[in-house]
Amino acid sequence: MTTANSLCTVLACGLALITSTALADFAAPTAQQIVAQSKAVMKSAKTYQATLQMNTTGGPVSMNVSAQIKTTGTKMWAHVGMNMAGPQGQQNPMAAMLQNIQVVDDGKNTWTYMPAMKQYSKGPSGGAKQFNFSGQFLNKVETDATLKLLPNENVAGKSAYVVEATPKKAAQNEKLKLYFDQGTYHLVQMKMNQSRSANGQMPAQQQSMVMVVKDEKVNQPIPDSLFKFTPPPGAKQMQGGGMRMGMPGAGAPRR
């Protein structure tokens, strides 16, 4: 082998090594890495604000939920508005009571106010934190579900990683699809499908939910007054702990 051929061989091997290393650096992360990175990014945010729009179909009710979420440090404020309808568009008797519910976590207590009933409840701190994607929700997804990376999809015109989460233990067949912005790793959309077999007088049910994160703001100033709750005039405190709220799907509190 001539010196020129030897040099070409060395250069070719070096180029191949550099190319393979570069491709490895740009390889898609695993589903576990995506969820872990999303948790890390959101945990580092000093404040976070977003609107969650949830549309639920199937089962006993259809529900739209709009939640304003604000966090700073260990404190969180959330304003949740709920609209419900009965099967096949029939009016549900509880619909009027579940409008514009407000949840305030002041770091010591969680306050839940139901304007339609002019009643509020007081519970331990942590109620509003159930809406924090860097906290309980993604922790549960990470530990209690089997994760699988699916092909990327576009969400609001941007490429998003898609992670399928199947609960390891579930009373009914349930699957979640989590959509993370490819550039920021923020959770931007979630889809849930679950089925429940017939049980006694209850027929088999198919339910689905789509949640979209909108109007996201990170590290924007938030006044401390939003973390305080003062019972409105005429409001009475509920007895027995009142109503508890949480995110649907993996990580939602179940009683």
Side-chain angles (χ1 to χ4, degrees), residues 55-123:
N55 296 318
T56 304
T57 59
V61 297
S62 294
M63 178 171 62
N64 293 325
V65 178
S66 178
Q68 296 292 332
I69 303 167
K70 302 185 179 183
T71 67
T72 179
T74 59
K75 296 181 179 180
M76 174 173 287
W77 175 87
H79 179 83
V80 181
M82 302 178 67
N83 296 295
M84 301 178 66
Q88 299 179 352
Q90 299 175 13
Q91 184 64 33
N92 188 283
M94 292 185 63
M97 295 189 297
L98 299 176
Q99 306 300 315
N100 301 316
I101 293 175
Q102 183 179 354
V103 179
V104 178
D105 190 329
D106 60 14
K108 295 182 179 180
N109 300 293
T110 296
W111 305 87
T112 303
Y113 175 55
M114 302 180 69
M117 299 177 63
K118 294 186 178 180
Q119 293 184 343
Y120 65 93
S121 66
K122 176 183 176 182

Side-chain angles (χ1 to χ4, degrees), residues 19 72 82-83 130 195 233 255:
T19 302
T72 179
M82 302 178 67
N83 296 295
Q130 296 165 13
S195 60
R255 305 181 75 177

Side-chain angles (χ1 to χ4, degrees), residues 37-55:
Q37 181 65 16
S38 180
K39 285 175 54 182
V41 169
M42 298 306 296
K43 187 176 181 180
S44 66
K46 295 180 179 179
T47 64
Y48 180 79
Q49 304 175 61
T51 298
L52 308 182
Q53 292 189 348
M54 288 180 269
N55 296 318

Side-chain angles (χ1 to χ4, degrees), residues 144 166-175 194-195 254:
D144 294 354
T166 304
K168 297 175 182 178
K169 296 181 180 180
Q172 60 270 351
N173 183 29
E174 179 178 292
K175 284 187 181 294
Q194 65 179 15
S195 60
R254 289 171 180 165

